[in-house]
Amino acid sequence: MTVEAVRLAVDRVRSRLREDARTRNGKLFAAITALAVFAPVMFSPYRLEIVMQLLIVILAVASWVFVAGYFGMFTFAHAALYGVGGYAAVILAAEMGVHPLASILLGGVVAGLFSLPISYPVLRLSGAYVGMVTLAYAEIIYYGTIILRDVTGGPTGYTGFPQLFGGDRVVMYYFVLALVVALMLAMYALLVNRFGLVARAIRESSDAAQMLGNNVPRYKLTGFLVGSSIAGVAGALQAYNILIISPPMLEIDQMIEFMAMGIIGGLRTFGGAVFGGIIVFGFSEVLRDIGELRLVVWGALLIVVTLYFPDGIAGSSFDVRKRFQEWFDR
Amino acid sequence: MSALLATDGLTKTFGGIVAVDGLDIAVDESELVGLIGPNGSGKTTTLNLVTGFHAPTGGAVLFDGDDVTGMKPYQVSKRGIGRTFQISKPFGRMTVFENMLVPNVPYGPKEREERIWKLLEELHLDHVAEHRADALSGGQKKLLELARVLMLEPKLVLLDEPAAGVNPALMDEIIADIKQINERGTAILVIEHDMSVISELCERVIVMNAGRQVTTGTFEEIRNDERVREAYLGGA
C-alpha cells in the first residue's frame, strides 16, 4: 500500500465517521461512549466489573459480526477461538514469563493461528456447511481444554496468573475501554474502505465479486484471520478481567450468546454488536434472579427481533423521538 | 488473424457425465458470436471452464495469445474476460452505485467515479444509482451486471442469457446496448435461448450439442442446417 492509498483510506474513515455521527445510531454511540468514559465515577465497583465484562463481550460480538455479518461466513468457532486467546495469554504470562500486556496481543495471534486449520474449508464452503465444520472444530477445542489437564488445568480451569496493573480496577477499566475502542475503530476503518465493500459483495455473491477481478479467497482469509484474532484478544482481556479461564468460556452456549447478541443488534450494521451486547447482556443481568427462565426471555426477544427488525436493532429505522412525537400528537 | 479466445479440445466430466467433450471453438477480436444449443448441451459449463469456475478435465483455453487454462476467475478477469451470469447476481443489499465500485480497477477515486457515471448513463441506470440493487427490475439487474463488467474494460464479454426474465420493452434497449458495446471493439459471446435475440444480434452462431460444436455459421446458414434441427429435435 502506498502512502497515497493510506491517506485516502484515512480520509474515508474520517468522512464516514462524520457522516455516521449524525445518524440515530451515531448519537446513541456518542452517548454510550460518554457514559463508558465516566463509568468509574458513576458506578459502584460491582457495577463497574459488569460494565467491563460488557465491553469485552461487545468486542467479541463485533469481531463475529465482522466475519459472519459482513462476509457471510457464519462461523460457530468464534467462542472457542475467544477461549483459545484467553488460555494462550494467561499461560504465556504465567509459565513463560511473557509480559502480561504483551500476552494479550499474543493471545490474539495464537487465536489467529488456531483459525487457520479451518480457514481452508470455511473459504470453500458456504451456508450451513461453514456452520457444521466450525461447530465440529469448536467442539474439538472445547474438549481439548478439558482433556489437556496439564496445560489448561482441565475442567476447573486455569487460575493463579498475574493480575494486570497490580489489581487496580480503575486503571484496568480504562485499559479495557481503550483497547476495545481501538480495535472497534480498526475494524470500522477496514469496513468503510474497499475491504468492507468487497466483503459485502462477497456476502451477496462470491462468484460475481470474483469475476469482477477481486481475489476473493484472499479477502475471506484476511477477514477470517482478523476477526478470529480480535476474538482472541477479547478472550485474553476477559481472562485477565475475571482472573480465571475455564472450559465454559468456550462452550457452545457462549457461542450462541454471541450470535444472539449479533443477530439482535443487527448483522449488517457494525454497531449492531454494541446494541445487541447491551440489550442481551443487560437482560441477563436484570433477569439473573429468574435463572434459566431468562433463556425463554431471550428466545422471545430473538423471535420478536427477527420478525419485526430483520436487520436487527441497529439496522432498523425505528426513531424513538419520532414515535414519541406521534404518540403525543394523537 | 489469430482468435482472441480459442478452446482446444476442452473437456469436462462430472463423474461419469461428459458435459463438455473435446470442444474447439473460437471467437475473433471484435466479433459478436452467439452460442446456442439445447438444454444440457454444455454452454454454461463452457463459460465456467473459460472463466475458471471449473477446472477442465482436459484441453486448453487460450486467450489473447496466452494459455489461461486453470486460472482463477479473478485472474481471468484481469486478463480481460468479463462475464455475466445466467441468473443475475447483483449485490442486492448494496446500492447500484456501490455495485459499480466493486470491480477491481486501477483508477483513482475521481476517475473511477467519472467512469461509473458515464456507464450508468449509457446503460440508463443513472436515475436509480442510489437505489438498492435488489429493488431493480429483472432487466435493470441485467443492465447493472453488464455495466459492472464494462468497468473492467474487457476485451471479451461473455453473456449468459441476457434476455431471460427481461420485459420486451427493455429487451430492445439491451440488444441496442450490446450492439453498441460491440461496435466499440469489445468481442462478445452470448448464450441465448431466444432465437429472435440471436438472429438480431449475432454475425455468427456456434451450435453446441452433447458438449461438442455441431456447426457454426450465420443465423441463416444454421437455421437450414439438418444437423442443428437434429440437435434440437433429436435424431430420427
Side-chain angles (χ1 to χ4, degrees):
Chain A
M1 234 194 199
T2 62
V3 179
E4 177 65 10
V6 172
R7 198 183 59 78
L8 279 172
V10 172
D11 280 355
R12 172 105 188 108
V13 173
R14 251 195 236 134
S15 75
R16 268 301 291 269
L17 264 177
R18 244 180 260 133
E19 253 172 61
D20 286 346
R22 280 191 221 107
T23 62
R24 178 204 62 182
N25 286 354
K27 285 174 191 157
L28 275 170
F29 284 145
I32 291 167
T33 314
L35 212 68
V37 169
F38 293 110
V41 285
M42 285 160 42
F43 294 140
S44 65
Y46 171 72
R47 290 258 168 85
L48 193 64
E49 294 298 317
I50 292 178
V51 175
M52 224 183 313
Q53 286 187 32
L54 172 61
L55 286 171
I56 296 166
V57 164
I58 286 174
L59 180 63
V61 175
S63 71
W64 181 70
V65 169
F66 184 84
V67 176
Y70 276 81
F71 281 89
M73 297 186 278
F74 225 75
T75 170
F76 278 74
H78 229 63
L81 295 170
Y82 164 81
V84 165
Y87 273 108
V90 299
I91 291 171
L92 282 170
E95 320 233 336
M96 292 171 197
V98 174
H99 191 282
L101 289 180
S103 78
I104 292 175
L105 294 181
L106 283 175
V109 173
V110 174
L113 291 175
F114 265 74
S115 77
L116 286 178
I118 35 164
S119 64
Y120 186 83
V122 166
L123 256 53
R124 273 151 195 83
L125 299 172
S126 63
Y129 298 101
V130 171
M132 279 152 64
V133 168
T134 51
L135 184 60
Y137 189 62
E139 287 294 285
I140 294 172
I141 294 179
Y142 171 66
Y143 285 106
T145 60
I146 294 176
I147 295 162
L148 299 172
R149 203 177 280 267
D150 294 340
V151 187
T152 63
T156 51
Y158 193 93
T159 50
F161 46 85
Q163 281 198 57
L164 288 181
F165 311 112
D168 186 329
R169 299 310 284 170
V170 174
V171 177
M172 176 73 182
Y173 175 81
Y174 281 113
F175 173 69
V176 168
L177 180 64
L179 195 55
V180 169
V181 169
L183 288 175
M184 296 279 284
L185 268 177
M187 285 190 276
Y188 177 84
L190 280 173
L191 291 177
V192 297
N193 274 294
R194 180 161 184 87
F195 184 84
L197 181 89
V198 176
R200 282 155 61 213
I202 291 171
R203 180 187 73 207
E204 303 289 322
S205 167
S206 130
D207 286 352
Q210 193 152 196
M211 206 55 235
L212 293 170
N214 299 293
N215 188 341
V216 168
R218 201 167 68 191
Y219 273 98
K220 284 174 94 170
L221 181 64
T222 311
F224 195 62
L225 257 176
V226 169
S228 302
S229 303
I230 290 177
V233 171
L237 276 179
Q238 192 67 293
Y240 278 112
N241 184 32
I242 58 178
L243 295 173
I244 177 171
I245 175 151
S246 56
M249 217 172 116
L250 31 80
E251 222 173 351
I252 187 67
D253 294 29
Q254 176 71 67
M255 187 65 236
I256 290 170
E257 205 175 310
F258 286 163
M259 290 174 129
M261 290 174 183
I263 292 165
I264 288 171
L267 274 181
R268 319 271 179 225
T269 322
F270 189 56
V274 179
F275 291 130
I278 291 172
I279 290 166
V280 175
F281 201 85
F283 261 104
S284 301
E285 284 305 315
V286 173
L287 302 175
R288 196 173 274 274
D289 295 337
I290 64 169
E292 296 294 301
L293 255 182
R294 66 179 187 212
L295 293 177
V296 178
V297 178
W298 275 20
L301 196 64
L302 251 181
I303 293 171
V304 170
V305 166
T306 40
L307 277 180
Y308 296 103
F309 308 104
D311 285 334
I313 308 279
S316 76
S317 52
F318 189 82
D319 188 328
V320 184
R321 209 162 42 169
K322 223 167 102 195
R323 285 296 165 96
F324 266 113
Q325 200 60 49
E326 282 168 12
W327 196 64
F328 280 123
D329 289 347
R330 239 186 258 165
Chain B
M1 187 173 72
S2 75
L4 178 64
L5 173 78
T7 66
D8 180 16
L10 197 62
T11 303
K12 179 69 185 177
T13 58
F14 295 103
I17 297 160
V18 185
V20 174
D21 189 6
L23 184 71
D24 300 308
I25 59 169
V27 178
D28 283 338
E29 266 171 50
S30 315
E31 210 183 4
L32 209 172
V33 186
L35 181 60
I36 66 168
N39 284 327
S41 58
K43 304 181 298 290
T44 296
T45 307
T46 303
L47 249 54
N48 283 337
L49 290 169
V50 169
T51 51
F53 283 97
H54 294 326
T57 316
V61 180
L62 305 167
F63 180 72
D64 207 12
D66 292 321
D67 188 346
V68 298
T69 319
M71 278 190 185
K72 301 260 182 291
Y74 68 90
Q75 291 166 325
V76 172
S77 138
K78 279 197 178 145
R79 296 266 168 156
I81 302 182
R83 179 205 173 155
T84 68
F85 294 87
Q86 195 170 358
I87 298 158
S88 352
K89 295 186 178 196
F91 307 122
R93 287 168 168 277
M94 295 161 69
T95 65
V96 168
F97 189 84
E98 282 178 316
N99 264 265
M100 295 295 285
L101 289 170
V102 176
N104 185 10
V105 288
Y107 312 120
K110 205 165 160 234
E111 211 183 332
R112 185 191 288 254
E113 199 162 318
E114 276 166 15
R115 274 193 59 77
I116 290 176
W117 283 114
K118 193 166 153 262
L119 279 169
L120 287 181
E121 257 164 53
E122 273 175 23
L123 294 175
H124 337 284
L125 291 168
D126 45 333
H127 62 293
V128 291
E130 294 307 322
H131 290 216
R132 255 172 66 149
D134 53 9
L136 301 180
S137 74
Q140 284 175 322
K141 283 179 185 163
K142 297 272 182 192
L143 283 173
L144 173 58
E145 275 207 291
L146 193 55
R148 252 176 12 193
V149 160
L150 292 177
M151 278 299 287
L152 299 162
E153 298 180 299
K155 293 182 194 126
L156 168 70
V157 178
L158 311 170
L159 301 173
D160 200 347
E161 298 198 28
V166 176
N167 79 57
L170 199 52
M171 198 57 249
D172 292 338
E173 228 169 73
I174 293 184
I175 289 178
D177 289 334
I178 294 174
K179 274 187 178 162
Q180 202 185 13
I181 292 159
N182 175 246
E183 272 157 22
R184 277 188 226 141
T186 309
I188 294 174
L189 179 68
V190 51
I191 294 181
E192 188 51 69
H193 283 295
D194 186 335
M195 287 307 148
S196 63
V197 174
I198 290 285
S199 72
E200 203 167 322
L201 267 182
C202 306
E203 306 146 9
R204 181 165 74 89
V205 182
I206 297 169
V207 186
M208 271 184 83
N209 190 30
R212 287 188 196 156
Q213 174 174 315
V214 175
T215 180
T216 180
T218 65
F219 188 74
E220 285 308 311
E221 283 165 4
I222 60 132
R223 191 160 69 163
N224 299 315
D225 194 311
E226 195 55 37
R227 289 167 298 176
V228 176
R229 233 172 268 184
E230 230 172 71
Y232 273 93
L233 300 175

